[in-house]
Structures are given as C-alpha cells and as structure tokens.
C-alpha cells in the first residue's frame, strides 16, 4: 500500500480510498481476520459485486441473507475472541524466539557496567556520533531486583541507584 501511494506522488488523495478499502478487507496475519469482519461480523462486499452480480452475491436470497446475517452477528464475539487468541499466540511466539536468542548474564557485585544516557541528557553539539553511555561504573551493592549501587572508577558513589 505504501508503495502504491509513493508511486502516485501528488495523486495520493485520489488513491487513499482504494488503499483504505484494501487495508480493511485484507486479512491480517496476527488475527487471521479482516478488520472489517471483526467490527461488522461479515466480510466486505466490493462495490462492483453489488452492481454486477457475482456468484457469492447472487446466490443469497432475501430470507436466507437475513438468517446468515443474524448467524454472522451471533458468531462475531467468538471470531473476535479467536482473533485475540491468535494475536496473543503470535506475540508469545515472537517473545520465545527473542528470548531464545538473548543471552542473559546476571550482574553481581564487583562487575563493571555502563549507564545509558537518556536523550534529554545528551549534548546536542556531539551529534549522532556522540557517546550513548556514561561510565564505566563498578557495582558495589545490590539494592532491589535489577537495581544496583554504583561507584565511579575514582571510588565516588553515585547518588541514585
């Protein structure tokens, strides 16, 4: 979709409805459902199918269409729940993959660490090639889980953990 809008350059306002329609009617990998069907309980019908009868659109008669619409609305909550379960399962799979690759190394007293600079404390004159870390610091004590008392190389304790 982004490529289509990039190719359009200045014509993107005319293409935006098409791109949004495509976004709402394409099933997402995380849920397995289209956003339209999760909201309205049924698949979207392309405007061309309304004017030109297609097999899917023409086989529905008025009474059976009403019944199938009621059944779709009854199943909407179940479809939303299943989409939520699939989304959570996908996130857990990504988490397992990441955790499998990550090497956990517990920190202990006498280890040396670097302290990350936050964006607000960076010197704007350094630019993007400036350092992203303070330190090295030596761990002198553990305060809470993941919190440590640090001291500089000269032996001066830092005020905050």
């Amino acid at each position: 979709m982004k490529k289509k809008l990039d190719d359009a350059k200045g014509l993107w306002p005319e293409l935006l409805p098409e791109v949004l329609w495509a976004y709402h009617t394409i099933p997402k990998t995380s849920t397995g459902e289209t956003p339209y069907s999760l909201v309205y309980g049924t698949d979207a019908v392309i405007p061309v199918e309304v004017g030109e009868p297609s097999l899917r659109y023409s086989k529905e008669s008025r009474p059976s269409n009403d019944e199938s619409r009621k059944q779709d609305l009854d199943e909407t909550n179940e479809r939303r729940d299943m989409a939520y379960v699939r989304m959570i399962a996908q996130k857990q799979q990504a988490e397992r993959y990441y955790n499998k690759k990550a090497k956990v190394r517990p920190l202990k007293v006498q280890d040396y660490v670097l302290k990350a600079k936050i964006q607000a404390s960076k010197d704007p004159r350094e630019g993007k090639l400036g350092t992203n870390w303070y330190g090295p610091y030596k761990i002198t004590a553990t305060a809470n889980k993941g919190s440590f008392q640090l001291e500089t190389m000269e032996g001066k304790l830092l005020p905050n953990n």
Side-chain angles (χ1 to χ4, degrees), residues 3-62:
K3 181 170 177 18
K4 188 168 183 169
L5 286 177
D6 285 344
D7 292 343
K9 300 289 182 206
L11 300 175
W12 70 268
E14 287 81 26
L15 289 177
L16 190 60
E18 295 173 29
V19 171
L20 289 176
W21 182 263
Y23 177 77
H24 289 305
T25 56
I26 295 174
K28 303 297 172 235
T29 56
S30 60
T31 60
E33 299 283 342
T34 65
Y36 188 91
S37 68
L38 288 176
V39 172
Y40 298 108
T42 187
D43 289 328
V45 177
I46 305 171
V48 173
E49 287 184 344
V50 175
E52 295 292 323
S54 69
L55 183 61
R56 180 176 80 158
Y57 189 73
S58 62
K59 74 175 187 174
E60 296 291 330
S61 64
R62 191 74 169 153

Short mmCIF file of all heavy atoms in Angstrom, two decimals, residues 3-62:
data_model
loop_
_atom_site.label_atom_id
_atom_site.label_comp_id
_atom_site.label_asym_id
_atom_site.label_seq_id
_atom_site.Cartn_x
_atom_site.Cartn_y
_atom_site.Cartn_z
N LYS A 3 3.86 1.52 -1.18
CA LYS A 3 4.47 1.63 -2.50
C LYS A 3 3.48 2.25 -3.48
O LYS A 3 3.86 3.09 -4.29
CB LYS A 3 4.93 0.27 -2.99
CG LYS A 3 5.59 0.32 -4.35
CD LYS A 3 6.22 -0.99 -4.68
CE LYS A 3 6.84 -1.07 -6.04
NZ LYS A 3 7.14 0.11 -6.75
N LYS A 4 2.23 1.86 -3.39
CA LYS A 4 1.23 2.40 -4.31
C LYS A 4 1.07 3.90 -4.09
O LYS A 4 0.98 4.66 -5.04
CB LYS A 4 -0.10 1.68 -4.10
CG LYS A 4 -1.14 2.05 -5.13
CD LYS A 4 -2.33 1.14 -5.09
CE LYS A 4 -3.29 1.51 -6.19
NZ LYS A 4 -4.34 0.56 -6.38
N LEU A 5 1.06 4.34 -2.83
CA LEU A 5 0.95 5.77 -2.55
C LEU A 5 2.22 6.51 -2.95
O LEU A 5 2.15 7.64 -3.44
CB LEU A 5 0.65 6.01 -1.07
CG LEU A 5 -0.76 5.69 -0.63
CD1 LEU A 5 -0.90 5.90 0.86
CD2 LEU A 5 -1.78 6.53 -1.36
N ASP A 6 3.39 5.87 -2.77
CA ASP A 6 4.65 6.52 -3.18
C ASP A 6 4.71 6.69 -4.69
O ASP A 6 5.19 7.70 -5.19
CB ASP A 6 5.85 5.71 -2.70
CG ASP A 6 6.09 5.86 -1.21
OD1 ASP A 6 5.54 6.81 -0.61
OD2 ASP A 6 6.83 5.02 -0.64
N ASP A 7 4.23 5.69 -5.42
CA ASP A 7 4.22 5.79 -6.88
C ASP A 7 3.27 6.87 -7.37
O ASP A 7 3.48 7.45 -8.43
CB ASP A 7 3.84 4.44 -7.51
CG ASP A 7 4.91 3.38 -7.30
OD1 ASP A 7 6.06 3.77 -6.97
OD2 ASP A 7 4.60 2.19 -7.45
N ALA A 8 2.21 7.13 -6.61
CA ALA A 8 1.21 8.10 -7.03
C ALA A 8 1.68 9.54 -6.86
O ALA A 8 1.11 10.44 -7.46
CB ALA A 8 -0.08 7.89 -6.25
N LYS A 9 2.70 9.77 -6.04
CA LYS A 9 3.23 11.10 -5.74
C LYS A 9 2.11 12.05 -5.34
O LYS A 9 1.52 11.89 -4.30
CB LYS A 9 4.04 11.66 -6.93
CG LYS A 9 5.21 10.82 -7.31
CD LYS A 9 6.31 10.91 -6.28
CE LYS A 9 7.49 10.07 -6.75
NZ LYS A 9 8.28 9.60 -5.71
N GLY A 10 1.74 13.03 -6.16
CA GLY A 10 0.74 14.03 -5.79
C GLY A 10 -0.69 13.57 -5.91
O GLY A 10 -1.62 14.29 -5.56
N LEU A 11 -0.92 12.37 -6.42
CA LEU A 11 -2.28 11.87 -6.62
C LEU A 11 -2.79 11.05 -5.44
O LEU A 11 -3.82 10.41 -5.54
CB LEU A 11 -2.34 11.00 -7.88
CG LEU A 11 -1.95 11.69 -9.18
CD1 LEU A 11 -1.95 10.68 -10.32
CD2 LEU A 11 -2.90 12.83 -9.49
N TRP A 12 -2.06 11.06 -4.31
CA TRP A 12 -2.46 10.19 -3.21
C TRP A 12 -3.84 10.49 -2.65
O TRP A 12 -4.51 9.56 -2.19
CB TRP A 12 -1.40 10.18 -2.12
CG TRP A 12 -1.27 11.45 -1.33
CD1 TRP A 12 -0.43 12.48 -1.57
CD2 TRP A 12 -2.00 11.81 -0.17
NE1 TRP A 12 -0.59 13.47 -0.66
CE2 TRP A 12 -1.57 13.08 0.23
CE3 TRP A 12 -3.01 11.19 0.57
CZ2 TRP A 12 -2.08 13.74 1.32
CZ3 TRP A 12 -3.52 11.85 1.67
CH2 TRP A 12 -3.05 13.11 2.02
N PRO A 13 -4.36 11.74 -2.67
CA PRO A 13 -5.73 11.91 -2.16
C PRO A 13 -6.77 11.12 -2.96
O PRO A 13 -7.75 10.64 -2.40
CB PRO A 13 -5.99 13.41 -2.27
CG PRO A 13 -4.63 14.02 -2.22
CD PRO A 13 -3.74 13.05 -2.94
N GLU A 14 -6.52 10.95 -4.27
CA GLU A 14 -7.47 10.18 -5.08
C GLU A 14 -7.34 8.68 -4.81
O GLU A 14 -8.31 7.93 -4.92
CB GLU A 14 -7.23 10.44 -6.58
CG GLU A 14 -7.70 11.81 -7.04
CD GLU A 14 -6.69 12.91 -6.73
OE1 GLU A 14 -5.49 12.62 -6.64
OE2 GLU A 14 -7.12 14.06 -6.55
N LEU A 15 -6.13 8.22 -4.48
CA LEU A 15 -5.91 6.80 -4.25
C LEU A 15 -6.18 6.37 -2.81
O LEU A 15 -6.27 5.18 -2.53
CB LEU A 15 -4.48 6.42 -4.61
CG LEU A 15 -4.14 6.42 -6.09
CD1 LEU A 15 -2.68 6.10 -6.28
CD2 LEU A 15 -4.99 5.42 -6.83
N LEU A 16 -6.30 7.31 -1.91
CA LEU A 16 -6.46 6.97 -0.50
C LEU A 16 -7.67 6.08 -0.22
O LEU A 16 -7.56 5.11 0.52
CB LEU A 16 -6.50 8.23 0.35
CG LEU A 16 -6.43 8.03 1.85
CD1 LEU A 16 -5.13 7.32 2.22
CD2 LEU A 16 -6.53 9.34 2.58
N PRO A 17 -8.86 6.36 -0.79
CA PRO A 17 -9.99 5.44 -0.52
C PRO A 17 -9.72 4.00 -0.95
O PRO A 17 -10.09 3.06 -0.25
CB PRO A 17 -11.14 6.05 -1.33
CG PRO A 17 -10.78 7.48 -1.48
CD PRO A 17 -9.29 7.53 -1.56
N GLU A 18 -9.04 3.82 -2.09
CA GLU A 18 -8.72 2.47 -2.54
C GLU A 18 -7.77 1.78 -1.57
O GLU A 18 -7.94 0.60 -1.25
CB GLU A 18 -8.06 2.51 -3.92
CG GLU A 18 -8.93 3.02 -5.03
CD GLU A 18 -8.14 3.18 -6.32
OE1 GLU A 18 -7.16 2.43 -6.51
OE2 GLU A 18 -8.53 4.03 -7.13
N VAL A 19 -6.78 2.52 -1.11
CA VAL A 19 -5.80 1.94 -0.20
C VAL A 19 -6.46 1.59 1.13
O VAL A 19 -6.22 0.52 1.69
CB VAL A 19 -4.62 2.90 -0.01
CG1 VAL A 19 -3.70 2.42 1.08
CG2 VAL A 19 -3.85 3.06 -1.32
N LEU A 20 -7.31 2.46 1.64
CA LEU A 20 -8.02 2.17 2.89
C LEU A 20 -8.94 0.98 2.73
O LEU A 20 -9.06 0.15 3.64
CB LEU A 20 -8.79 3.40 3.37
CG LEU A 20 -7.93 4.55 3.88
CD1 LEU A 20 -8.80 5.75 4.23
CD2 LEU A 20 -7.10 4.14 5.07
N TRP A 21 -9.63 0.89 1.60
CA TRP A 21 -10.50 -0.25 1.35
C TRP A 21 -9.68 -1.53 1.35
O TRP A 21 -10.07 -2.54 1.95
CB TRP A 21 -11.23 -0.08 0.01
CG TRP A 21 -12.17 -1.20 -0.25
CD1 TRP A 21 -11.94 -2.30 -1.01
CD2 TRP A 21 -13.48 -1.35 0.27
NE1 TRP A 21 -13.02 -3.12 -1.01
CE2 TRP A 21 -13.99 -2.56 -0.24
CE3 TRP A 21 -14.28 -0.58 1.10
CZ2 TRP A 21 -15.26 -3.02 0.08
CZ3 TRP A 21 -15.55 -1.05 1.40
CH2 TRP A 21 -16.02 -2.25 0.90
N ALA A 22 -8.52 -1.51 0.69
CA ALA A 22 -7.66 -2.69 0.66
C ALA A 22 -7.20 -3.05 2.06
O ALA A 22 -7.16 -4.22 2.44
CB ALA A 22 -6.46 -2.44 -0.25
N TYR A 23 -6.85 -2.04 2.86
CA TYR A 23 -6.39 -2.30 4.23
C TYR A 23 -7.49 -2.95 5.07
O TYR A 23 -7.23 -3.87 5.84
CB TYR A 23 -5.95 -1.00 4.89
CG TYR A 23 -5.54 -1.18 6.33
CD1 TYR A 23 -4.31 -1.73 6.65
CD2 TYR A 23 -6.41 -0.85 7.37
CE1 TYR A 23 -3.94 -1.93 7.97
CE2 TYR A 23 -6.04 -1.03 8.69
CZ TYR A 23 -4.81 -1.57 8.98
OH TYR A 23 -4.47 -1.78 10.28
N HIS A 24 -8.72 -2.49 4.91
CA HIS A 24 -9.82 -3.01 5.73
C HIS A 24 -10.30 -4.37 5.28
O HIS A 24 -10.96 -5.07 6.04
CB HIS A 24 -10.99 -2.04 5.73
CG HIS A 24 -10.73 -0.78 6.49
ND1 HIS A 24 -10.34 -0.76 7.80
CD2 HIS A 24 -10.77 0.52 6.11
CE1 HIS A 24 -10.18 0.48 8.21
NE2 HIS A 24 -10.41 1.28 7.19
N THR A 25 -10.01 -4.77 4.03
CA THR A 25 -10.56 -6.02 3.51
C THR A 25 -9.53 -7.12 3.35
O THR A 25 -9.89 -8.22 2.94
CB THR A 25 -11.24 -5.78 2.16
OG1 THR A 25 -10.30 -5.17 1.25
CG2 THR A 25 -12.45 -4.88 2.31
N ILE A 26 -8.25 -6.87 3.65
CA ILE A 26 -7.22 -7.91 3.56
C ILE A 26 -7.03 -8.51 4.96
O ILE A 26 -6.84 -7.79 5.93
CB ILE A 26 -5.90 -7.32 3.05
CG1 ILE A 26 -6.06 -6.83 1.61
CG2 ILE A 26 -4.78 -8.34 3.14
CD1 ILE A 26 -4.86 -6.10 1.08
N PRO A 27 -7.09 -9.85 5.07
CA PRO A 27 -6.90 -10.47 6.38
C PRO A 27 -5.51 -10.17 6.94
O PRO A 27 -4.51 -10.21 6.22
CB PRO A 27 -7.05 -11.97 6.11
CG PRO A 27 -7.76 -12.06 4.81
CD PRO A 27 -7.40 -10.84 4.04
N LYS A 28 -5.45 -9.86 8.21
CA LYS A 28 -4.17 -9.57 8.88
C LYS A 28 -3.56 -10.87 9.38
O LYS A 28 -4.27 -11.78 9.82
CB LYS A 28 -4.38 -8.60 10.05
CG LYS A 28 -5.05 -7.30 9.64
CD LYS A 28 -4.17 -6.55 8.66
CE LYS A 28 -4.89 -5.37 8.08
NZ LYS A 28 -4.93 -5.35 6.66
N THR A 29 -2.24 -10.94 9.35
CA THR A 29 -1.57 -12.17 9.77
C THR A 29 -1.70 -12.40 11.27
O THR A 29 -1.76 -13.53 11.72
CB THR A 29 -0.08 -12.13 9.40
OG1 THR A 29 0.50 -10.96 9.98
CG2 THR A 29 0.11 -12.11 7.91
N SER A 30 -1.77 -11.33 12.05
CA SER A 30 -1.82 -11.51 13.50
C SER A 30 -3.16 -12.06 13.97
O SER A 30 -3.22 -12.83 14.92
CB SER A 30 -1.52 -10.19 14.21
OG SER A 30 -2.47 -9.21 13.85
N THR A 31 -4.25 -11.68 13.31
CA THR A 31 -5.56 -12.13 13.75
C THR A 31 -6.18 -13.18 12.83
O THR A 31 -7.06 -13.92 13.24
CB THR A 31 -6.53 -10.94 13.85
OG1 THR A 31 -6.66 -10.33 12.56
CG2 THR A 31 -6.07 -9.92 14.86
N GLY A 32 -5.76 -13.20 11.57
CA GLY A 32 -6.37 -14.12 10.62
C GLY A 32 -7.71 -13.62 10.11
O GLY A 32 -8.38 -14.32 9.35
N GLU A 33 -8.11 -12.44 10.49
CA GLU A 33 -9.39 -11.86 10.10
C GLU A 33 -9.16 -10.48 9.50
O GLU A 33 -8.12 -9.86 9.70
CB GLU A 33 -10.31 -11.70 11.32
CG GLU A 33 -10.67 -12.97 12.03
CD GLU A 33 -11.73 -13.77 11.31
OE1 GLU A 33 -12.45 -13.20 10.45
OE2 GLU A 33 -11.85 -14.97 11.60
N THR A 34 -10.16 -10.00 8.77
CA THR A 34 -10.08 -8.63 8.27
C THR A 34 -10.60 -7.69 9.35
O THR A 34 -11.48 -8.07 10.13
CB THR A 34 -10.94 -8.44 7.00
OG1 THR A 34 -12.31 -8.61 7.34
CG2 THR A 34 -10.55 -9.42 5.92
N PRO A 35 -10.06 -6.46 9.43
CA PRO A 35 -10.60 -5.52 10.41
C PRO A 35 -12.10 -5.28 10.22
O PRO A 35 -12.84 -5.14 11.18
CB PRO A 35 -9.80 -4.25 10.16
CG PRO A 35 -8.53 -4.70 9.56
CD PRO A 35 -8.88 -5.92 8.75
N TYR A 36 -12.55 -5.25 8.98
CA TYR A 36 -13.97 -5.04 8.69
C TYR A 36 -14.82 -6.15 9.29
O TYR A 36 -15.85 -5.89 9.92
CB TYR A 36 -14.18 -4.97 7.17
CG TYR A 36 -15.57 -4.56 6.76
CD1 TYR A 36 -15.89 -3.24 6.55
CD2 TYR A 36 -16.57 -5.52 6.57
CE1 TYR A 36 -17.17 -2.86 6.17
CE2 TYR A 36 -17.84 -5.15 6.19
CZ TYR A 36 -18.14 -3.83 6.00
OH TYR A 36 -19.40 -3.46 5.63
N SER A 37 -14.38 -7.40 9.12
CA SER A 37 -15.19 -8.51 9.62
C SER A 37 -15.19 -8.56 11.14
O SER A 37 -16.17 -9.01 11.74
CB SER A 37 -14.70 -9.84 9.05
OG SER A 37 -13.42 -10.15 9.56
N LEU A 38 -14.11 -8.10 11.78
CA LEU A 38 -14.10 -8.09 13.24
C LEU A 38 -15.04 -7.03 13.80
O LEU A 38 -15.58 -7.18 14.88
CB LEU A 38 -12.68 -7.85 13.76
CG LEU A 38 -11.72 -9.02 13.58
CD1 LEU A 38 -10.33 -8.63 14.05
CD2 LEU A 38 -12.20 -10.24 14.33
N VAL A 39 -15.23 -5.95 13.05
CA VAL A 39 -16.13 -4.89 13.51
C VAL A 39 -17.58 -5.20 13.18
O VAL A 39 -18.46 -5.11 14.02
CB VAL A 39 -15.71 -3.52 12.91
CG1 VAL A 39 -16.74 -2.45 13.23
CG2 VAL A 39 -14.35 -3.11 13.42
N TYR A 40 -17.84 -5.57 11.92
CA TYR A 40 -19.21 -5.72 11.45
C TYR A 40 -19.70 -7.16 11.40
O TYR A 40 -20.87 -7.40 11.12
CB TYR A 40 -19.37 -5.08 10.08
CG TYR A 40 -19.09 -3.59 10.12
CD1 TYR A 40 -17.93 -3.07 9.57
CD2 TYR A 40 -19.97 -2.73 10.76
CE1 TYR A 40 -17.67 -1.72 9.62
CE2 TYR A 40 -19.71 -1.38 10.81
CZ TYR A 40 -18.56 -0.88 10.25
OH TYR A 40 -18.31 0.46 10.31
N GLY A 41 -18.84 -8.15 11.62
CA GLY A 41 -19.29 -9.52 11.69
C GLY A 41 -19.47 -10.20 10.36
O GLY A 41 -19.96 -11.33 10.30
N THR A 42 -19.12 -9.58 9.26
CA THR A 42 -19.25 -10.18 7.94
C THR A 42 -18.17 -9.63 7.04
O THR A 42 -17.58 -8.59 7.32
CB THR A 42 -20.64 -9.90 7.35
OG1 THR A 42 -20.79 -10.62 6.14
CG2 THR A 42 -20.85 -8.43 7.09
N ASP A 43 -17.90 -10.36 5.96
CA ASP A 43 -16.90 -9.89 5.01
C ASP A 43 -17.45 -8.74 4.19
O ASP A 43 -18.66 -8.65 3.93
CB ASP A 43 -16.47 -11.02 4.07
CG ASP A 43 -15.64 -12.06 4.79
OD1 ASP A 43 -14.92 -11.68 5.73
OD2 ASP A 43 -15.73 -13.25 4.42
N ALA A 44 -16.57 -7.85 3.77
CA ALA A 44 -16.96 -6.71 2.96
C ALA A 44 -17.27 -7.16 1.54
O ALA A 44 -16.69 -8.10 1.03
CB ALA A 44 -15.86 -5.66 2.95
N VAL A 45 -18.20 -6.47 0.91
CA VAL A 45 -18.56 -6.73 -0.47
C VAL A 45 -18.01 -5.58 -1.30
O VAL A 45 -18.24 -4.41 -0.98
CB VAL A 45 -20.09 -6.85 -0.65
CG1 VAL A 45 -20.45 -7.04 -2.10
CG2 VAL A 45 -20.62 -7.97 0.19
N ILE A 46 -17.28 -5.91 -2.35
CA ILE A 46 -16.73 -4.88 -3.22
C ILE A 46 -17.89 -4.19 -3.93
O ILE A 46 -18.85 -4.85 -4.34
CB ILE A 46 -15.77 -5.52 -4.24
CG1 ILE A 46 -14.69 -6.32 -3.51
CG2 ILE A 46 -15.13 -4.48 -5.14
CD1 ILE A 46 -13.83 -7.15 -4.42
N PRO A 47 -17.82 -2.86 -4.09
CA PRO A 47 -18.93 -2.16 -4.76
C PRO A 47 -19.27 -2.73 -6.14
O PRO A 47 -20.43 -2.72 -6.54
CB PRO A 47 -18.42 -0.73 -4.87
CG PRO A 47 -17.45 -0.58 -3.76
CD PRO A 47 -16.81 -1.92 -3.60
N VAL A 48 -18.31 -3.26 -6.86
CA VAL A 48 -18.59 -3.85 -8.17
C VAL A 48 -19.51 -5.05 -8.03
O VAL A 48 -20.37 -5.29 -8.88
CB VAL A 48 -17.26 -4.25 -8.86
CG1 VAL A 48 -17.50 -5.01 -10.13
CG2 VAL A 48 -16.42 -3.02 -9.11
N GLU A 49 -19.37 -5.83 -6.95
CA GLU A 49 -20.21 -7.01 -6.75
C GLU A 49 -21.67 -6.64 -6.52
O GLU A 49 -22.55 -7.46 -6.77
CB GLU A 49 -19.70 -7.84 -5.57
CG GLU A 49 -18.43 -8.59 -5.85
CD GLU A 49 -18.02 -9.47 -4.69
OE1 GLU A 49 -18.53 -9.27 -3.57
OE2 GLU A 49 -17.18 -10.34 -4.89
N VAL A 50 -21.92 -5.44 -6.04
CA VAL A 50 -23.31 -5.02 -5.83
C VAL A 50 -23.97 -4.72 -7.16
O VAL A 50 -25.11 -5.12 -7.42
CB VAL A 50 -23.36 -3.79 -4.90
CG1 VAL A 50 -24.78 -3.28 -4.77
CG2 VAL A 50 -22.80 -4.15 -3.54
N GLY A 51 -23.24 -4.04 -8.06
CA GLY A 51 -23.80 -3.69 -9.38
C GLY A 51 -23.80 -4.87 -10.33
O GLY A 51 -24.78 -5.12 -11.03
N GLU A 52 -22.71 -5.60 -10.38
CA GLU A 52 -22.57 -6.77 -11.25
C GLU A 52 -22.69 -8.01 -10.38
O GLU A 52 -21.85 -8.24 -9.52
CB GLU A 52 -21.21 -6.76 -11.95
CG GLU A 52 -21.02 -5.61 -12.90
CD GLU A 52 -21.92 -5.73 -14.11
OE1 GLU A 52 -22.14 -6.86 -14.60
OE2 GLU A 52 -22.42 -4.70 -14.57
N PRO A 53 -23.70 -8.83 -10.58
CA PRO A 53 -23.87 -9.99 -9.70
C PRO A 53 -22.72 -10.98 -9.84
O PRO A 53 -22.35 -11.36 -10.93
CB PRO A 53 -25.19 -10.61 -10.16
CG PRO A 53 -25.62 -9.89 -11.37
CD PRO A 53 -24.74 -8.71 -11.58
N SER A 54 -22.15 -11.34 -8.70
CA SER A 54 -21.13 -12.38 -8.66
C SER A 54 -21.75 -13.62 -8.04
O SER A 54 -22.87 -13.59 -7.53
CB SER A 54 -19.93 -11.92 -7.83
OG SER A 54 -20.28 -11.82 -6.48
N LEU A 55 -21.03 -14.72 -8.07
CA LEU A 55 -21.55 -15.97 -7.53
C LEU A 55 -21.84 -15.82 -6.04
O LEU A 55 -22.88 -16.25 -5.55
CB LEU A 55 -20.55 -17.10 -7.78
CG LEU A 55 -20.99 -18.49 -7.33
CD1 LEU A 55 -22.25 -18.89 -8.09
CD2 LEU A 55 -19.90 -19.49 -7.57
N ARG A 56 -20.95 -15.19 -5.32
CA ARG A 56 -21.14 -15.03 -3.87
C ARG A 56 -22.34 -14.13 -3.57
O ARG A 56 -23.11 -14.39 -2.66
CB ARG A 56 -19.88 -14.43 -3.25
CG ARG A 56 -20.00 -14.22 -1.76
CD ARG A 56 -18.73 -13.74 -1.17
NE ARG A 56 -18.59 -12.30 -1.38
CZ ARG A 56 -17.82 -11.52 -0.66
NH1 ARG A 56 -17.08 -12.01 0.29
NH2 ARG A 56 -17.75 -10.24 -0.90
N TYR A 57 -22.52 -13.08 -4.33
CA TYR A 57 -23.57 -12.10 -4.06
C TYR A 57 -24.92 -12.56 -4.60
O TYR A 57 -25.95 -12.33 -3.98
CB TYR A 57 -23.18 -10.76 -4.68
CG TYR A 57 -24.08 -9.62 -4.29
CD1 TYR A 57 -24.02 -9.09 -3.01
CD2 TYR A 57 -24.98 -9.08 -5.18
CE1 TYR A 57 -24.83 -8.04 -2.64
CE2 TYR A 57 -25.81 -8.04 -4.82
CZ TYR A 57 -25.73 -7.52 -3.55
OH TYR A 57 -26.55 -6.48 -3.19
N SER A 58 -24.94 -13.24 -5.76
CA SER A 58 -26.21 -13.60 -6.40
C SER A 58 -26.89 -14.79 -5.74
O SER A 58 -28.11 -14.92 -5.84
CB SER A 58 -26.00 -13.87 -7.88
OG SER A 58 -25.14 -14.96 -8.05
N LYS A 59 -26.15 -15.68 -5.10
CA LYS A 59 -26.79 -16.87 -4.53
C LYS A 59 -27.56 -16.58 -3.25
O LYS A 59 -28.30 -17.40 -2.76
CB LYS A 59 -25.76 -17.98 -4.30
CG LYS A 59 -24.85 -17.75 -3.13
CD LYS A 59 -23.96 -18.95 -2.93
CE LYS A 59 -23.18 -18.75 -1.64
NZ LYS A 59 -22.41 -19.90 -1.29
N GLU A 60 -27.39 -15.41 -2.68
CA GLU A 60 -28.09 -15.05 -1.45
C GLU A 60 -29.48 -14.51 -1.78
O GLU A 60 -29.63 -13.58 -2.54
CB GLU A 60 -27.31 -13.97 -0.68
CG GLU A 60 -25.96 -14.41 -0.19
CD GLU A 60 -26.07 -15.44 0.91
OE1 GLU A 60 -27.07 -15.43 1.66
OE2 GLU A 60 -25.17 -16.28 1.00
N SER A 61 -30.49 -15.13 -1.21
CA SER A 61 -31.85 -14.61 -1.34
C SER A 61 -32.16 -13.81 -0.08
O SER A 61 -31.46 -13.90 0.92
CB SER A 61 -32.84 -15.74 -1.54
OG SER A 61 -32.86 -16.55 -0.39
N ARG A 62 -33.18 -13.04 -0.12
CA ARG A 62 -33.51 -12.15 0.99
C ARG A 62 -33.68 -12.89 2.32
O ARG A 62 -33.05 -12.53 3.30
CB ARG A 62 -34.77 -11.36 0.62
CG ARG A 62 -35.05 -10.23 1.55
CD ARG A 62 -34.08 -9.12 1.25
NE ARG A 62 -34.51 -7.93 1.96
CZ ARG A 62 -33.68 -7.00 2.34
NH1 ARG A 62 -32.41 -7.09 2.06
NH2 ARG A 62 -34.11 -5.94 2.95
#
